Amino acid sequence: MKEYDLCAGYQMKVHNIGLYHPKSRSNEKHDAFSARILNFKDGCPDALNYFYEYCKTHPYLKNNSSAVLVCVPGHVPRKTYGPLQKLADKLSQDFCTYLPNALKRTRKIDKLSSGGNRSLSVHLQSLEVDCAGIRGKMVVILDDVTTTGKSLKACEKKLETCRPNSIRAIVFGKTADQEVS
C-alpha cells in the first residue's frame, strides 16, 4: 500500500494497493494484479471479494463507523450501479455508511481509458455533489484506477463544499509510468 499527495494545495491522502499496468499488446508489464483490476471492472465476483477483503482491513474503514464512503462516478451519467458501487454497498453492510448519491456525473465525458480529456475542468463541470450526510464526517472516496488524479481532485473539490472533517481516498491501482500532476 502506498500513500501519496495528489498535488500541492490538496489535503487528501490517497492510498493505493499497487501499480496498474494497462493491457495492450505492447505492454509486457501487464500483470496478475492489473488483470484483477480489469476483472473487477467486469464484475467478477472473485475480484470483488479480493478488493472487499483489502478494504475491510483498511485503517480508514476498519472500526470506523463514522466514515462515509463515496465512489468516483464513471464517465456516463445515471449509470449508478457498477462494480465499484457494489463493493461500496457490501462494505457499508459491515463498516461504514455508503452515500450512493453523494457524487453524480451530470453529463457524459469521453472514456478516460480511451484517451478522453483528463483536465480538471472537464471533471468539475460534469460532477454534482449532494452534501446530505457529509458535513463533519471523514469522507472516503473509492476508485478503481487513477492515472492523472484529476477525477479524484475534482471529487475532492466538490466534496469540500460540504464541509467534511476530512477527505481520504482508497484506489486499487495507480497507473504505472504516469506522473500525477
Side-chain angles (χ1 to χ4, degrees), residues 129-168:
V129 65
D130 178 350
C131 292
I134 293 175
R135 186 181 181 129
K137 300 284 187 172
M138 179 176 83
V139 177
V140 180
I141 303 171
L142 189 61
D143 201 2
D144 48 18
V145 175
T146 187
T147 300
T148 65
K150 298 293 193 306
S151 59
L152 285 172
K153 288 178 198 176
C155 290
E156 177 189 32
K157 199 156 188 65
K158 291 287 185 175
L159 289 163
E160 283 176 342
T161 66
C162 302
R163 302 184 64 197
N165 183 44
S166 63
I167 303 173
R168 303 285 185 250

Side-chain angles (χ1 to χ4, degrees), residues 81-94:
Y81 201 78
L84 207 54
Q85 292 76 16
K86 190 173 184 176
L87 174 61
D89 218 11
K90 187 173 180 174
L91 288 165
S92 72
Q93 293 171 15
D94 299 316

Side-chain angles (χ1 to χ4, degrees), residues 4-5 10 26 30 45 47-48 73-74 83 88 97 105 108 114-115 133 135 161-162 170 175:
Y4 58 93
D5 291 311
Y10 290 86
S26 62
H30 183 75
L48 184 127
T97 301
R105 186 76 62 190
K108 183 179 179 181
S114 301
R135 186 181 181 129
T161 66
C162 302
I170 299 172
T175 303

Side-chain angles (χ1 to χ4, degrees), residues 21-79:
H21 301 277
K23 185 176 183 178
S24 70
R25 291 181 186 161
S26 62
N27 190 352
E28 296 173 2
K29 293 182 179 181
H30 183 75
D31 57 8
F33 178 73
S34 299
R36 183 171 275 143
I37 291 174
L38 292 179
N39 288 340
F40 174 83
K41 288 173 168 270
D42 288 340
C44 173
D46 288 343
L48 184 127
N49 287 333
Y50 173 85
F51 290 110
Y52 171 80
E53 290 299 322
Y54 172 80
C55 289
K56 79 176 192 180
T57 62
H58 193 282
Y60 292 162
L61 301 177
K62 185 178 180 183
N63 301 319
N64 191 353
S65 60
S66 66
V68 294
L69 192 59
V70 302
C71 295
V72 173
H75 69 287
V76 178
R78 292 178 286 284
K79 182 182 177 191

